[in-house]
Amino acid sequence: MKRRERTRQLIELGGLVAKAGLPELTDDDRAVILGLMIEGAATLRGEHRQQALTLWRRRGKRAFEHSPDD
């Protein structure tokens, strides 16, 4: 059962990468996409963590509200 849950989580996370348009914006350059995520993680480890979470959560919620379900 845990394996199925993990698989579902990975598929959903990949869907978020696609929904954000990252494959198109980076010409599907996986190193660039990983670099973006590493940069985001570094921001979350920094002193502006709460501000970043608030901003990104707001943007994410708007994107979910204004995009069709895929």
Side-chain angles (χ1 to χ4, degrees):
M1 192 63 156
K2 282 211 178 261
R3 185 171 159 189
R4 184 178 295 161
E5 291 171 14
R6 174 93 170 121
T7 299
R8 180 181 173 96
Q9 180 188 36
L10 292 174
I11 291 168
E12 289 173 351
L13 291 171
L16 293 174
V17 169
K19 188 178 278 276
L22 294 179
E24 294 81 15
L25 292 169
T26 64
D27 292 325
D28 202 16
D29 187 328
R30 312 270 167 106
V32 172
I33 294 169
L34 179 58
L36 283 164
M37 291 188 289
I38 290 170
E39 188 68 25
T43 298
L44 292 176
R45 289 186 194 98
E47 61 185 59
H48 301 291
R49 172 185 170 82
Q50 281 309 124
Q51 294 94 328
L53 284 172
T54 300
L55 174 67
W56 295 341
R57 184 175 292 115
R58 193 176 302 139
R59 286 183 180 167
K61 285 182 178 182
R62 274 197 306 257
F64 278 129
E65 292 168 1
H66 295 101
S67 69
D69 291 333
D70 294 319

